[in-house]
Amino acid sequence: STAQAYIADVTGPKERGRGMALIGMAFGLGFTFGPLLGAAFVTANPDGAPSAAPGYVAAILSGLAMLSAIFVLPESVHSESTPAEHSWFQGSALLRAMARPHIGLVLFTMFLSTFVFAQFESTLSLLTESLGLAERHNFYVFAYVGFVLFFAQGGVRHLIPKFGEFRMCVAGALLMALGLLLIGAAGRLESRAMLYAVLPISVIGVSSLNPSLQAMLSLSAAASEQGGTLGVGQSMAAMARILGPICGLVLYGYSVNLPYWSGAALMVLSLGLFWTLRTSGSEGMADEESVPVSSEA
């Protein structure tokens, strides 16, 4: 939420979606090289226990990120910025955000998309294991996902100003639904080749969906509310990342393809919510942002 608020501070309304996509590109790079680095530190323990080395490497990298934030990252708030109220988490902030029709709908659709992707992430290694892939190979599968995510976010960064956040949300939901249907089919058919072929579809979908929703949420909030509103959005996403894996693993226990097909159904449901966003007219943001920006088209 802090990274998103930082992007909101340093970008204008027309560049907001592109800025949010930059966060996705950074995430994609980390998702690519993180698993590759982790795979290099996996060691076989005689007692069969998991290797601890990747966790220590992750801790060192997190420490470097903290030091970079403290000593390298410049402050985004300038002297003319409207001071924001500082407080710990308050349930009333979530209720106030949900009470505003447009923001509430964006938050709910963010929850749904994150919930679905969390189901996908938490069960993917189980799916690859069922297809006979070794533990180390799972690192390469996730690196492949991150590689696709990085390039997809780069493309989305240029497409959002041209087509608008609303259209990119619709396209992302459709691609996620299609990709998840095909991933479920790959599991049912026990086909590794099909899995590799269809994984990019859902990854490109989430690459289109997430920065567009984050930009819509940011554009719906006043300048002094950016951090708080985006923080509420991250709280909703965090809850989805808790519940998504739980639901995904339970569904996987019944059937290998059930987490993916149920996720596809939820993304189809989200299309109805996007249409509500389009027609709600709350603050005029969805209508305005869905019109192509002629200067950048």
Side-chain angles (χ1 to χ4, degrees):
S1 56
T2 306
Q4 291 174 5
Y6 191 100
I7 291 293
D9 284 343
V10 299
T11 59
K14 292 182 180 180
E15 295 80 32
R16 192 67 45 81
R18 297 178 67 178
M20 295 300 177
L22 277 175
I23 297 177
M25 290 180 68
F27 182 84
L29 275 178
F31 216 74
T32 300
F33 292 105
L36 292 176
L37 186 61
F41 284 90
V42 171
T43 57
N45 294 320
D47 57 357
S51 175
Y56 294 133
V57 174
I60 292 171
L61 293 176
S62 296
L64 290 174
M66 179 187 70
L67 293 175
S68 297
I70 294 173
F71 297 109
V72 178
L73 189 69
E75 176 58 67
S76 64
V77 177
H78 46 80
S79 57
E80 292 81 15
S81 300
T82 304
E85 180 182 350
H86 298 277
S87 63
W88 293 102
F89 174 78
Q90 296 177 343
S92 58
L94 175 60
L95 294 177
R96 285 197 303 271
M98 294 298 291
R100 297 170 65 178
H102 191 79
I103 290 182
L105 284 170
V106 174
L107 288 173
F108 188 62
T109 51
M110 287 180 69
F111 175 87
L112 274 184
S113 63
T114 307
F115 179 91
V116 168
F117 196 71
Q119 279 196 166
F120 160 78
E121 283 183 312
S122 61
T123 57
L124 181 58
S125 60
L126 298 176
L127 177 60
T128 57
E129 183 181 350
S130 72
L131 297 178
L133 297 178
E135 178 184 359
R136 187 184 296 270
H137 203 97
N138 272 325
F139 285 92
Y140 302 139
V141 172
F142 279 96
Y144 172 56
V145 169
F147 183 77
V148 174
L149 184 64
F150 171 73
F151 283 100
Q153 290 282 10
V156 166
R157 185 166 171 261
H158 296 288
L159 291 175
I160 287 179
K162 183 174 182 179
F163 295 104
E165 281 80 5
F166 171 76
R167 291 192 180 100
M168 294 300 292
C169 281
V170 172
L174 286 171
L175 287 172
M176 280 188 71
L178 176 61
L180 290 169
L181 280 173
L182 293 174
I183 290 171
R188 189 175 185 86
L189 298 173
E190 299 183 354
S191 172
R192 295 186 195 179
M194 182 178 179
L195 177 63
Y196 282 120
V198 302
L199 269 175
I201 299 175
S202 55
V203 175
I204 293 172
V206 77
S207 299
S208 302
L209 191 55
N210 281 350
S212 301
L213 284 172
Q214 291 161 4
M216 290 171 74
L217 185 62
S218 173
L219 291 166
S220 300
S224 61
E225 299 174 342
Q226 292 291 327
T229 302
L230 290 168
V232 171
Q234 286 299 299
S235 296
M236 295 288 284
M239 182 60 67
R241 283 191 289 269
I242 294 170
L243 299 178
I246 295 173
C247 183
L249 293 173
V250 170
L251 292 174
Y252 189 90
Y254 288 101
S255 173
V256 170
N257 50 37
L258 199 52
Y260 311 106
W261 288 353
S262 64
L266 287 176
M267 294 317 301
V268 171
L269 172 64
S270 71
L271 287 171
L273 295 175
F274 292 142
W275 184 253
T276 304
L277 279 172
R278 181 71 171 83
T279 58
S280 64
S282 178
E283 299 181 15
M285 200 281 299
D287 291 325
E288 179 181 347
E289 291 301 317
S290 62
V291 177
V293 181
S294 58
S295 62
E296 298 190 39

